[in-house]
Amino acid sequence: MTGIVVTGGSSGIGRAIAIRLAEDASRQNSANSAQVLVHYRRNRDGAVETAEQIKRLGVCCEIMAADLSRPDEVHRFAKDAIERLGVISTWVNNAGVDVLTGEAASWSFDEKLRMLLDVDVCGTIALSRIIGPVMADQAKPGDVTPSMVFIGWDQAPVGMEGDAGMMFGPVKAAVMAFANSLAQTLAPHVRVNTVAPGWIQTAWGETTSAYWNERAKTQALMNRWGRPEDIAEAVAYLASPNAGFVTGQTINVNGGWNRKFEGRHDDSL
Ligand SMILES: NC(=O)c1ccc[n+]([C@@H]2O[C@H](COP(=O)([O-])OP(=O)(O)OC[C@H]3O[C@@H](n4cnc5c(N)ncnc54)[C@H](OP(=O)(O)O)[C@@H]3O)[C@@H](O)[C@H]2O)c1
């Protein structure tokens, strides 16, 4: 049995990733020997829905709850996941706090930043520092190299104006920097990479203002919102043996950043 784990798989990008990885397991005829573990925090119904879609592909799936802002829960989740799955082939660190919708939207800047640091940065790092070495120990010469994938943000290294840029920027930059160092630490036993999404239409994108709806579309050369499935496709590549020589890399999946000047084009240059 080889295990696939996706944190934050109860909705949005995490759900699409879990289903996409299960499709690969199903296609490779490894359905009987693969098991997907879908992690969630509060949205049990969402996690059950993800698991049902995975089981319909003929792949075993379980769900497991853990609040990654709590160090005791991080340790308990890591231990339970290892016990439940045995060998872990793919681990995707996708869980992240939504501070743009729901009750968290009314929190102060400091409260949002603190929670993002606790979950996205400290929770993700603590979890990966337990799981990464276990995956490295389990790796056997000649076998497919296990893969760990992180989710960053395309604008984190360059910056974005306003509160969202000033909180998500440093948080996701920290995640991306940690992933690069983990790749150096675990090589050649585990491949570690990052997918950096652009504007992906999940809960916030579905209800956002006309301004942000327009901005999200026009900032992509492809002139549309990204879909969770766009991110899942890149994660599936990084998790697959096709990416066997790819580690310590970040793939921006943002439809291509639009750098075209919106005004009149001047042909004199
Ligand atoms: N959407 C975008 O445009 C975009 C762009 C760049 C990066 N990202 C990143 O992509 C990832 C997925 O985002 P999404 O848009 O799909 O958001 P989402 O639908 O809100 O999913 C977030 C997931 O993280 C889990 N989570 C939240 N707080 C948690 C906690 N304290 N402990 C453990 N898990 C927790 C949620 O679990 P429950 O709901 O079950 O509580 C949920 O499964 C996030 O890391 C996000 O920062 C998104």
PDB file of all heavy atoms in Angstrom, residues 8-14 39-44 66-69 94-98 115 119-120 151-153 168 172 197-200 202, ligand 1:
ATOM      1  N   GLY A   8      -5.798  19.919   3.761  1.00  0.00           N
ATOM      2  CA  GLY A   8      -6.798  20.892   3.308  1.00  0.00           C
ATOM      3  C   GLY A   8      -7.549  20.397   2.088  1.00  0.00           C
ATOM      4  O   GLY A   8      -7.784  21.152   1.140  1.00  0.00           O
ATOM      5  N   GLY A   9      -7.976  19.130   2.134  1.00  0.00           N
ATOM      6  CA  GLY A   9      -8.635  18.533   0.966  1.00  0.00           C
ATOM      7  C   GLY A   9     -10.149  18.605   1.011  1.00  0.00           C
ATOM      8  O   GLY A   9     -10.821  17.947   0.213  1.00  0.00           O
ATOM      9  N   SER A  10     -10.702  19.420   1.922  1.00  0.00           N
ATOM     10  CA  SER A  10     -12.160  19.461   2.062  1.00  0.00           C
ATOM     11  C   SER A  10     -12.835  20.430   1.091  1.00  0.00           C
ATOM     12  O   SER A  10     -14.069  20.466   1.021  1.00  0.00           O
ATOM     13  CB  SER A  10     -12.531  19.835   3.505  1.00  0.00           C
ATOM     14  OG  SER A  10     -11.815  20.979   3.917  1.00  0.00           O
ATOM     15  N   SER A  11     -12.052  21.209   0.349  1.00  0.00           N
ATOM     16  CA  SER A  11     -12.652  22.164  -0.600  1.00  0.00           C
ATOM     17  C   SER A  11     -11.583  22.647  -1.573  1.00  0.00           C
ATOM     18  O   SER A  11     -10.402  22.315  -1.440  1.00  0.00           O
ATOM     19  CB  SER A  11     -13.259  23.367   0.145  1.00  0.00           C
ATOM     20  OG  SER A  11     -12.259  24.020   0.913  1.00  0.00           O
ATOM     21  N   GLY A  12     -12.029  23.455  -2.531  1.00  0.00           N
ATOM     22  CA  GLY A  12     -11.146  24.232  -3.403  1.00  0.00           C
ATOM     23  C   GLY A  12     -10.004  23.457  -4.047  1.00  0.00           C
ATOM     24  O   GLY A  12     -10.194  22.375  -4.620  1.00  0.00           O
ATOM     25  N   ILE A  13      -8.822  24.030  -3.942  1.00  0.00           N
ATOM     26  CA  ILE A  13      -7.638  23.488  -4.614  1.00  0.00           C
ATOM     27  C   ILE A  13      -7.273  22.111  -4.050  1.00  0.00           C
ATOM     28  O   ILE A  13      -6.938  21.190  -4.805  1.00  0.00           O
ATOM     29  CB  ILE A  13      -6.465  24.484  -4.457  1.00  0.00           C
ATOM     30  CG1 ILE A  13      -6.775  25.783  -5.223  1.00  0.00           C
ATOM     31  CG2 ILE A  13      -5.158  23.875  -4.932  1.00  0.00           C
ATOM     32  CD1 ILE A  13      -5.790  26.931  -4.951  1.00  0.00           C
ATOM     33  N   GLY A  14      -7.357  21.946  -2.737  1.00  0.00           N
ATOM     34  CA  GLY A  14      -6.999  20.666  -2.111  1.00  0.00           C
ATOM     35  C   GLY A  14      -7.876  19.526  -2.600  1.00  0.00           C
ATOM     36  O   GLY A  14      -7.398  18.419  -2.847  1.00  0.00           O
ATOM     37  N   HIS A  39      -7.020  15.264   4.369  1.00  0.00           N
ATOM     38  CA  HIS A  39      -7.020  15.983   5.645  1.00  0.00           C
ATOM     39  C   HIS A  39      -7.990  17.174   5.559  1.00  0.00           C
ATOM     40  O   HIS A  39      -8.185  17.761   4.490  1.00  0.00           O
ATOM     41  CB  HIS A  39      -5.603  16.481   5.964  1.00  0.00           C
ATOM     42  CG  HIS A  39      -5.596  17.645   6.905  1.00  0.00           C
ATOM     43  ND1 HIS A  39      -5.607  18.952   6.460  1.00  0.00           N
ATOM     44  CD2 HIS A  39      -5.643  17.707   8.259  1.00  0.00           C
ATOM     45  CE1 HIS A  39      -5.624  19.766   7.502  1.00  0.00           C
ATOM     46  NE2 HIS A  39      -5.638  19.042   8.599  1.00  0.00           N
ATOM     47  N   TYR A  40      -8.588  17.512   6.693  1.00  0.00           N
ATOM     48  CA  TYR A  40      -9.436  18.699   6.772  1.00  0.00           C
ATOM     49  C   TYR A  40      -9.350  19.244   8.187  1.00  0.00           C
ATOM     50  O   TYR A  40      -8.735  18.624   9.073  1.00  0.00           O
ATOM     51  CB  TYR A  40     -10.892  18.360   6.403  1.00  0.00           C
ATOM     52  CG  TYR A  40     -11.600  17.492   7.418  1.00  0.00           C
ATOM     53  CD1 TYR A  40     -12.522  18.026   8.309  1.00  0.00           C
ATOM     54  CD2 TYR A  40     -11.328  16.121   7.497  1.00  0.00           C
ATOM     55  CE1 TYR A  40     -13.165  17.233   9.243  1.00  0.00           C
ATOM     56  CE2 TYR A  40     -11.961  15.321   8.434  1.00  0.00           C
ATOM     57  CZ  TYR A  40     -12.878  15.888   9.306  1.00  0.00           C
ATOM     58  OH  TYR A  40     -13.506  15.097  10.242  1.00  0.00           O
ATOM     59  N   ARG A  41      -9.935  20.410   8.419  1.00  0.00           N
ATOM     60  CA  ARG A  41      -9.993  20.918   9.788  1.00  0.00           C
ATOM     61  C   ARG A  41     -11.432  20.853  10.289  1.00  0.00           C
ATOM     62  O   ARG A  41     -11.779  20.005  11.077  1.00  0.00           O
ATOM     63  CB  ARG A  41      -9.455  22.353   9.877  1.00  0.00           C
ATOM     64  CG  ARG A  41      -9.446  22.885  11.300  1.00  0.00           C
ATOM     65  CD  ARG A  41      -9.255  24.385  11.359  1.00  0.00           C
ATOM     66  NE  ARG A  41     -10.129  25.074  10.429  1.00  0.00           N
ATOM     67  CZ  ARG A  41     -10.483  26.342  10.529  1.00  0.00           C
ATOM     68  NH1 ARG A  41     -10.022  27.069  11.523  1.00  0.00           N
ATOM     69  NH2 ARG A  41     -11.266  26.899   9.653  1.00  0.00           N
ATOM     70  N   ARG A  42     -12.348  21.706   9.763  1.00  0.00           N
ATOM     71  CA  ARG A  42     -13.730  21.754  10.268  1.00  0.00           C
ATOM     72  C   ARG A  42     -14.755  21.193   9.291  1.00  0.00           C
ATOM     73  O   ARG A  42     -15.808  20.727   9.680  1.00  0.00           O
ATOM     74  CB  ARG A  42     -14.117  23.211  10.536  1.00  0.00           C
ATOM     75  CG  ARG A  42     -13.561  23.761  11.802  1.00  0.00           C
ATOM     76  CD  ARG A  42     -14.322  25.048  12.113  1.00  0.00           C
ATOM     77  NE  ARG A  42     -13.594  25.833  13.086  1.00  0.00           N
ATOM     78  CZ  ARG A  42     -13.574  27.153  13.113  1.00  0.00           C
ATOM     79  NH1 ARG A  42     -14.232  27.847  12.205  1.00  0.00           N
ATOM     80  NH2 ARG A  42     -12.900  27.794  14.043  1.00  0.00           N
ATOM     81  N   ASN A  43     -14.458  21.315   7.996  1.00  0.00           N
ATOM     82  CA  ASN A  43     -15.466  21.013   6.973  1.00  0.00           C
ATOM     83  C   ASN A  43     -15.518  19.511   6.691  1.00  0.00           C
ATOM     84  O   ASN A  43     -15.061  19.033   5.649  1.00  0.00           O
ATOM     85  CB  ASN A  43     -15.132  21.818   5.698  1.00  0.00           C
ATOM     86  CG  ASN A  43     -16.164  21.624   4.604  1.00  0.00           C
ATOM     87  OD1 ASN A  43     -17.171  20.934   4.793  1.00  0.00           O
ATOM     88  ND2 ASN A  43     -15.909  22.220   3.445  1.00  0.00           N
ATOM     89  N   ARG A  44     -16.115  18.775   7.639  1.00  0.00           N
ATOM     90  CA  ARG A  44     -16.163  17.311   7.492  1.00  0.00           C
ATOM     91  C   ARG A  44     -16.989  16.921   6.266  1.00  0.00           C
ATOM     92  O   ARG A  44     -16.609  16.012   5.530  1.00  0.00           O
ATOM     93  CB  ARG A  44     -16.773  16.691   8.764  1.00  0.00           C
ATOM     94  CG  ARG A  44     -16.664  15.196   8.792  1.00  0.00           C
ATOM     95  CD  ARG A  44     -17.080  14.589  10.127  1.00  0.00           C
ATOM     96  NE  ARG A  44     -16.560  13.239  10.222  1.00  0.00           N
ATOM     97  CZ  ARG A  44     -17.058  12.202   9.587  1.00  0.00           C
ATOM     98  NH1 ARG A  44     -18.109  12.338   8.807  1.00  0.00           N
ATOM     99  NH2 ARG A  44     -16.502  11.000   9.721  1.00  0.00           N
ATOM    100  N   ALA A  66      -7.483  17.634  11.562  1.00  0.00           N
ATOM    101  CA  ALA A  66      -6.442  18.182  12.446  1.00  0.00           C
ATOM    102  C   ALA A  66      -6.386  19.693  12.243  1.00  0.00           C
ATOM    103  O   ALA A  66      -6.436  20.167  11.104  1.00  0.00           O
ATOM    104  CB  ALA A  66      -5.072  17.575  12.134  1.00  0.00           C
ATOM    105  N   ASP A  67      -6.293  20.408  13.359  1.00  0.00           N
ATOM    106  CA  ASP A  67      -6.115  21.860  13.298  1.00  0.00           C
ATOM    107  C   ASP A  67      -4.611  22.135  13.299  1.00  0.00           C
ATOM    108  O   ASP A  67      -3.944  21.954  14.328  1.00  0.00           O
ATOM    109  CB  ASP A  67      -6.799  22.508  14.508  1.00  0.00           C
ATOM    110  CG  ASP A  67      -6.684  24.026  14.480  1.00  0.00           C
ATOM    111  OD1 ASP A  67      -5.861  24.556  13.700  1.00  0.00           O
ATOM    112  OD2 ASP A  67      -7.415  24.681  15.241  1.00  0.00           O
ATOM    113  N   LEU A  68      -4.091  22.571  12.164  1.00  0.00           N
ATOM    114  CA  LEU A  68      -2.638  22.730  12.032  1.00  0.00           C
ATOM    115  C   LEU A  68      -2.113  23.981  12.728  1.00  0.00           C
ATOM    116  O   LEU A  68      -0.910  24.223  12.717  1.00  0.00           O
ATOM    117  CB  LEU A  68      -2.234  22.730  10.552  1.00  0.00           C
ATOM    118  CG  LEU A  68      -2.589  21.457   9.771  1.00  0.00           C
ATOM    119  CD1 LEU A  68      -2.048  21.530   8.334  1.00  0.00           C
ATOM    120  CD2 LEU A  68      -2.077  20.194  10.454  1.00  0.00           C
ATOM    121  N   SER A  69      -3.001  24.766  13.364  1.00  0.00           N
ATOM    122  CA  SER A  69      -2.505  25.896  14.177  1.00  0.00           C
ATOM    123  C   SER A  69      -2.050  25.400  15.546  1.00  0.00           C
ATOM    124  O   SER A  69      -1.446  26.147  16.296  1.00  0.00           O
ATOM    125  CB  SER A  69      -3.597  26.965  14.345  1.00  0.00           C
ATOM    126  OG  SER A  69      -4.619  26.502  15.206  1.00  0.00           O
ATOM    127  N   ASN A  94      -1.156  21.600   1.254  1.00  0.00           N
ATOM    128  CA  ASN A  94      -2.043  22.588   0.626  1.00  0.00           C
ATOM    129  C   ASN A  94      -2.820  23.423   1.643  1.00  0.00           C
ATOM    130  O   ASN A  94      -3.215  24.560   1.334  1.00  0.00           O
ATOM    131  CB  ASN A  94      -3.031  21.848  -0.296  1.00  0.00           C
ATOM    132  CG  ASN A  94      -4.233  22.677  -0.644  1.00  0.00           C
ATOM    133  OD1 ASN A  94      -4.188  23.544  -1.510  1.00  0.00           O
ATOM    134  ND2 ASN A  94      -5.350  22.450   0.069  1.00  0.00           N
ATOM    135  N   ALA A  95      -3.030  22.918   2.856  1.00  0.00           N
ATOM    136  CA  ALA A  95      -3.900  23.603   3.834  1.00  0.00           C
ATOM    137  C   ALA A  95      -3.430  25.028   4.073  1.00  0.00           C
ATOM    138  O   ALA A  95      -2.233  25.292   4.208  1.00  0.00           O
ATOM    139  CB  ALA A  95      -3.933  22.829   5.147  1.00  0.00           C
ATOM    140  N   GLY A  96      -4.373  25.941   4.113  1.00  0.00           N
ATOM    141  CA  GLY A  96      -4.060  27.340   4.374  1.00  0.00           C
ATOM    142  C   GLY A  96      -5.310  28.040   4.876  1.00  0.00           C
ATOM    143  O   GLY A  96      -6.430  27.683   4.485  1.00  0.00           O
ATOM    144  N   VAL A  97      -5.132  29.030   5.728  1.00  0.00           N
ATOM    145  CA  VAL A  97      -6.276  29.719   6.327  1.00  0.00           C
ATOM    146  C   VAL A  97      -6.936  30.638   5.299  1.00  0.00           C
ATOM    147  O   VAL A  97      -6.251  31.378   4.594  1.00  0.00           O
ATOM    148  CB  VAL A  97      -5.834  30.580   7.526  1.00  0.00           C
ATOM    149  CG1 VAL A  97      -7.056  31.155   8.227  1.00  0.00           C
ATOM    150  CG2 VAL A  97      -5.004  29.781   8.481  1.00  0.00           C
ATOM    151  N   ASP A  98      -8.255  30.582   5.250  1.00  0.00           N
ATOM    152  CA  ASP A  98      -9.022  31.529   4.440  1.00  0.00           C
ATOM    153  C   ASP A  98      -9.371  32.718   5.334  1.00  0.00           C
ATOM    154  O   ASP A  98     -10.248  32.606   6.197  1.00  0.00           O
ATOM    155  CB  ASP A  98     -10.290  30.846   3.912  1.00  0.00           C
ATOM    156  CG  ASP A  98     -11.207  31.828   3.196  1.00  0.00           C
ATOM    157  OD1 ASP A  98     -10.790  32.991   2.981  1.00  0.00           O
ATOM    158  OD2 ASP A  98     -12.345  31.429   2.863  1.00  0.00           O
ATOM    159  N   MET A 115      -2.787  34.112  12.470  1.00  0.00           N
ATOM    160  CA  MET A 115      -3.348  32.797  12.126  1.00  0.00           C
ATOM    161  C   MET A 115      -2.675  32.220  10.878  1.00  0.00           C
ATOM    162  O   MET A 115      -2.386  31.016  10.821  1.00  0.00           O
ATOM    163  CB  MET A 115      -4.869  32.914  11.915  1.00  0.00           C
ATOM    164  CG  MET A 115      -5.558  31.585  11.755  1.00  0.00           C
ATOM    165  SD  MET A 115      -5.241  30.424  13.110  1.00  0.00           S
ATOM    166  CE  MET A 115      -6.544  30.868  14.242  1.00  0.00           C
ATOM    167  N   VAL A 119      -0.732  28.621  10.941  1.00  0.00           N
ATOM    168  CA  VAL A 119      -1.172  27.462  10.142  1.00  0.00           C
ATOM    169  C   VAL A 119      -0.276  27.266   8.925  1.00  0.00           C
ATOM    170  O   VAL A 119       0.387  26.231   8.766  1.00  0.00           O
ATOM    171  CB  VAL A 119      -2.643  27.634   9.688  1.00  0.00           C
ATOM    172  CG1 VAL A 119      -3.056  26.486   8.769  1.00  0.00           C
ATOM    173  CG2 VAL A 119      -3.554  27.726  10.895  1.00  0.00           C
ATOM    174  N   ASP A 120      -0.283  28.279   8.024  1.00  0.00           N
ATOM    175  CA  ASP A 120       0.394  28.114   6.730  1.00  0.00           C
ATOM    176  C   ASP A 120       1.910  27.951   6.902  1.00  0.00           C
ATOM    177  O   ASP A 120       2.538  27.187   6.170  1.00  0.00           O
ATOM    178  CB  ASP A 120       0.138  29.321   5.818  1.00  0.00           C
ATOM    179  CG  ASP A 120      -1.331  29.482   5.448  1.00  0.00           C
ATOM    180  OD1 ASP A 120      -2.197  29.207   6.293  1.00  0.00           O
ATOM    181  OD2 ASP A 120      -1.609  29.888   4.301  1.00  0.00           O
ATOM    182  N   ILE A 151       2.218  24.468  -1.627  1.00  0.00           N
ATOM    183  CA  ILE A 151       1.448  25.465  -2.383  1.00  0.00           C
ATOM    184  C   ILE A 151       1.879  26.854  -1.915  1.00  0.00           C
ATOM    185  O   ILE A 151       1.756  27.185  -0.728  1.00  0.00           O
ATOM    186  CB  ILE A 151      -0.077  25.275  -2.175  1.00  0.00           C
ATOM    187  CG1 ILE A 151      -0.513  23.861  -2.596  1.00  0.00           C
ATOM    188  CG2 ILE A 151      -0.842  26.341  -2.978  1.00  0.00           C
ATOM    189  CD1 ILE A 151      -0.299  23.506  -4.062  1.00  0.00           C
ATOM    190  N   GLY A 152       2.423  27.639  -2.843  1.00  0.00           N
ATOM    191  CA  GLY A 152       2.859  28.994  -2.522  1.00  0.00           C
ATOM    192  C   GLY A 152       1.894  30.027  -3.087  1.00  0.00           C
ATOM    193  O   GLY A 152       0.668  29.839  -3.067  1.00  0.00           O
ATOM    194  N   TRP A 153       2.443  31.094  -3.638  1.00  0.00           N
ATOM    195  CA  TRP A 153       1.621  32.143  -4.276  1.00  0.00           C
ATOM    196  C   TRP A 153       2.516  32.884  -5.264  1.00  0.00           C
ATOM    197  O   TRP A 153       3.617  33.307  -4.890  1.00  0.00           O
ATOM    198  CB  TRP A 153       1.071  33.115  -3.226  1.00  0.00           C
ATOM    199  CG  TRP A 153       0.173  34.178  -3.758  1.00  0.00           C
ATOM    200  CD1 TRP A 153      -0.747  34.068  -4.754  1.00  0.00           C
ATOM    201  CD2 TRP A 153       0.106  35.547  -3.325  1.00  0.00           C
ATOM    202  NE1 TRP A 153      -1.393  35.260  -4.958  1.00  0.00           N
ATOM    203  CE2 TRP A 153      -0.881  36.187  -4.089  1.00  0.00           C
ATOM    204  CE3 TRP A 153       0.792  36.284  -2.346  1.00  0.00           C
ATOM    205  CZ2 TRP A 153      -1.200  37.532  -3.927  1.00  0.00           C
ATOM    206  CZ3 TRP A 153       0.470  37.615  -2.176  1.00  0.00           C
ATOM    207  CH2 TRP A 153      -0.527  38.231  -2.959  1.00  0.00           C
ATOM    208  N   PHE A 168      -0.361  37.830   2.862  1.00  0.00           N
ATOM    209  CA  PHE A 168      -0.115  36.592   2.111  1.00  0.00           C
ATOM    210  C   PHE A 168       1.305  36.566   1.527  1.00  0.00           C
ATOM    211  O   PHE A 168       1.887  35.498   1.359  1.00  0.00           O
ATOM    212  CB  PHE A 168      -1.130  36.434   0.975  1.00  0.00           C
ATOM    213  CG  PHE A 168      -2.499  36.007   1.435  1.00  0.00           C
ATOM    214  CD1 PHE A 168      -3.588  36.853   1.317  1.00  0.00           C
ATOM    215  CD2 PHE A 168      -2.701  34.753   2.000  1.00  0.00           C
ATOM    216  CE1 PHE A 168      -4.857  36.461   1.738  1.00  0.00           C
ATOM    217  CE2 PHE A 168      -3.952  34.350   2.428  1.00  0.00           C
ATOM    218  CZ  PHE A 168      -5.031  35.212   2.299  1.00  0.00           C
ATOM    219  N   LYS A 172       3.441  33.262   2.282  1.00  0.00           N
ATOM    220  CA  LYS A 172       3.697  32.272   1.225  1.00  0.00           C
ATOM    221  C   LYS A 172       5.163  32.287   0.793  1.00  0.00           C
ATOM    222  O   LYS A 172       5.698  31.252   0.381  1.00  0.00           O
ATOM    223  CB  LYS A 172       2.762  32.509   0.036  1.00  0.00           C
ATOM    224  CG  LYS A 172       1.297  32.251   0.357  1.00  0.00           C
ATOM    225  CD  LYS A 172       1.072  30.831   0.885  1.00  0.00           C
ATOM    226  CE  LYS A 172      -0.401  30.539   1.122  1.00  0.00           C
ATOM    227  NZ  LYS A 172      -0.639  29.236   1.759  1.00  0.00           N
ATOM    228  N   PRO A 197       0.211  29.227  -7.199  1.00  0.00           N
ATOM    229  CA  PRO A 197      -0.979  29.615  -7.971  1.00  0.00           C
ATOM    230  C   PRO A 197      -1.066  31.129  -8.139  1.00  0.00           C
ATOM    231  O   PRO A 197      -0.596  31.895  -7.297  1.00  0.00           O
ATOM    232  CB  PRO A 197      -2.145  29.136  -7.101  1.00  0.00           C
ATOM    233  CG  PRO A 197      -1.565  28.245  -6.048  1.00  0.00           C
ATOM    234  CD  PRO A 197      -0.145  28.704  -5.875  1.00  0.00           C
ATOM    235  N   GLY A 198      -1.703  31.531  -9.236  1.00  0.00           N
ATOM    236  CA  GLY A 198      -2.120  32.924  -9.382  1.00  0.00           C
ATOM    237  C   GLY A 198      -3.515  33.060  -8.795  1.00  0.00           C
ATOM    238  O   GLY A 198      -3.816  32.503  -7.740  1.00  0.00           O
ATOM    239  N   TRP A 199      -4.382  33.818  -9.485  1.00  0.00           N
ATOM    240  CA  TRP A 199      -5.756  34.000  -9.001  1.00  0.00           C
ATOM    241  C   TRP A 199      -6.581  32.770  -9.359  1.00  0.00           C
ATOM    242  O   TRP A 199      -6.901  32.560 -10.530  1.00  0.00           O
ATOM    243  CB  TRP A 199      -6.384  35.240  -9.626  1.00  0.00           C
ATOM    244  CG  TRP A 199      -5.678  36.521  -9.308  1.00  0.00           C
ATOM    245  CD1 TRP A 199      -5.032  37.332 -10.198  1.00  0.00           C
ATOM    246  CD2 TRP A 199      -5.563  37.164  -8.032  1.00  0.00           C
ATOM    247  NE1 TRP A 199      -4.511  38.424  -9.561  1.00  0.00           N
ATOM    248  CE2 TRP A 199      -4.817  38.354  -8.221  1.00  0.00           C
ATOM    249  CE3 TRP A 199      -6.003  36.859  -6.744  1.00  0.00           C
ATOM    250  CZ2 TRP A 199      -4.515  39.225  -7.173  1.00  0.00           C
ATOM    251  CZ3 TRP A 199      -5.699  37.719  -5.705  1.00  0.00           C
ATOM    252  CH2 TRP A 199      -4.967  38.884  -5.928  1.00  0.00           C
ATOM    253  N   ILE A 200      -6.914  31.986  -8.346  1.00  0.00           N
ATOM    254  CA  ILE A 200      -7.674  30.753  -8.567  1.00  0.00           C
ATOM    255  C   ILE A 200      -9.062  30.936  -7.965  1.00  0.00           C
ATOM    256  O   ILE A 200      -9.204  31.355  -6.802  1.00  0.00           O
ATOM    257  CB  ILE A 200      -6.979  29.535  -7.896  1.00  0.00           C
ATOM    258  CG1 ILE A 200      -5.507  29.458  -8.335  1.00  0.00           C
ATOM    259  CG2 ILE A 200      -7.725  28.242  -8.213  1.00  0.00           C
ATOM    260  CD1 ILE A 200      -5.260  29.316  -9.819  1.00  0.00           C
ATOM    261  N   THR A 202     -11.731  30.120  -6.035  1.00  0.00           N
ATOM    262  CA  THR A 202     -12.331  29.286  -4.980  1.00  0.00           C
ATOM    263  C   THR A 202     -13.314  30.185  -4.217  1.00  0.00           C
ATOM    264  O   THR A 202     -13.876  31.099  -4.807  1.00  0.00           O
ATOM    265  CB  THR A 202     -11.241  28.642  -4.099  1.00  0.00           C
ATOM    266  OG1 THR A 202     -10.389  29.672  -3.578  1.00  0.00           O
ATOM    267  CG2 THR A 202     -10.388  27.668  -4.899  1.00  0.00           C
TER     268      THR A 202
HETATM  269  N1  LIG B   1      -7.344  30.521  -4.255  1.00  0.00           N
HETATM  270  C1  LIG B   1      -6.274  31.215  -4.619  1.00  0.00           C
HETATM  271  O1  LIG B   1      -6.322  32.138  -5.453  1.00  0.00           O
HETATM  272  C2  LIG B   1      -4.921  30.878  -4.015  1.00  0.00           C
HETATM  273  C3  LIG B   1      -3.806  31.543  -4.504  1.00  0.00           C
HETATM  274  C4  LIG B   1      -2.567  31.234  -3.974  1.00  0.00           C
HETATM  275  C5  LIG B   1      -2.449  30.291  -2.970  1.00  0.00           C
HETATM  276  N2  LIG B   1      -3.561  29.663  -2.499  1.00  0.00           N
HETATM  277  C6  LIG B   1      -3.387  28.660  -1.428  1.00  0.00           C
HETATM  278  O2  LIG B   1      -3.933  27.428  -1.854  1.00  0.00           O
HETATM  279  C7  LIG B   1      -4.359  26.681  -0.711  1.00  0.00           C
HETATM  280  C8  LIG B   1      -5.804  26.242  -0.897  1.00  0.00           C
HETATM  281  O3  LIG B   1      -6.614  27.396  -1.025  1.00  0.00           O
HETATM  282  P1  LIG B   1      -8.154  27.374  -1.456  1.00  0.00           P
HETATM  283  O4  LIG B   1      -8.395  28.623  -2.195  1.00  0.00           O
HETATM  284  O5  LIG B   1      -8.512  26.064  -2.052  1.00  0.00           O
HETATM  285  O6  LIG B   1      -8.846  27.549  -0.014  1.00  0.00           O
HETATM  286  P2  LIG B   1      -9.975  26.744   0.767  1.00  0.00           P
HETATM  287  O7  LIG B   1     -11.001  26.188  -0.151  1.00  0.00           O
HETATM  288  O8  LIG B   1     -10.402  27.650   1.879  1.00  0.00           O
HETATM  289  O9  LIG B   1      -9.185  25.505   1.402  1.00  0.00           O
HETATM  290  C9  LIG B   1      -8.366  25.662   2.522  1.00  0.00           C
HETATM  291  C10 LIG B   1      -8.175  24.316   3.191  1.00  0.00           C
HETATM  292  O10 LIG B   1      -7.284  24.516   4.313  1.00  0.00           O
HETATM  293  C11 LIG B   1      -7.892  23.979   5.480  1.00  0.00           C
HETATM  294  N3  LIG B   1      -7.549  24.732   6.686  1.00  0.00           N
HETATM  295  C12 LIG B   1      -7.887  26.008   7.000  1.00  0.00           C
HETATM  296  N4  LIG B   1      -7.474  26.315   8.251  1.00  0.00           N
HETATM  297  C13 LIG B   1      -6.870  25.198   8.741  1.00  0.00           C
HETATM  298  C14 LIG B   1      -6.266  24.867   9.981  1.00  0.00           C
HETATM  299  N5  LIG B   1      -6.215  25.735  11.019  1.00  0.00           N
HETATM  300  N6  LIG B   1      -5.752  23.632  10.135  1.00  0.00           N
HETATM  301  C15 LIG B   1      -5.827  22.726   9.126  1.00  0.00           C
HETATM  302  N7  LIG B   1      -6.394  22.974   7.925  1.00  0.00           N
HETATM  303  C16 LIG B   1      -6.916  24.201   7.744  1.00  0.00           C
HETATM  304  C17 LIG B   1      -9.391  24.059   5.239  1.00  0.00           C
HETATM  305  O11 LIG B   1     -10.032  23.093   6.075  1.00  0.00           O
HETATM  306  P3  LIG B   1     -11.575  23.197   6.583  1.00  0.00           P
HETATM  307  O12 LIG B   1     -12.301  24.066   5.599  1.00  0.00           O
HETATM  308  O13 LIG B   1     -12.015  21.768   6.622  1.00  0.00           O
HETATM  309  O14 LIG B   1     -11.575  23.818   7.958  1.00  0.00           O
HETATM  310  C18 LIG B   1      -9.470  23.738   3.748  1.00  0.00           C
HETATM  311  O15 LIG B   1      -9.480  22.350   3.554  1.00  0.00           O
HETATM  312  C19 LIG B   1      -4.137  27.598   0.495  1.00  0.00           C
HETATM  313  O16 LIG B   1      -2.900  27.302   1.104  1.00  0.00           O
HETATM  314  C20 LIG B   1      -4.110  28.984  -0.133  1.00  0.00           C
HETATM  315  O17 LIG B   1      -3.412  29.931   0.647  1.00  0.00           O
HETATM  316  C21 LIG B   1      -4.801  29.926  -2.997  1.00  0.00           C
END
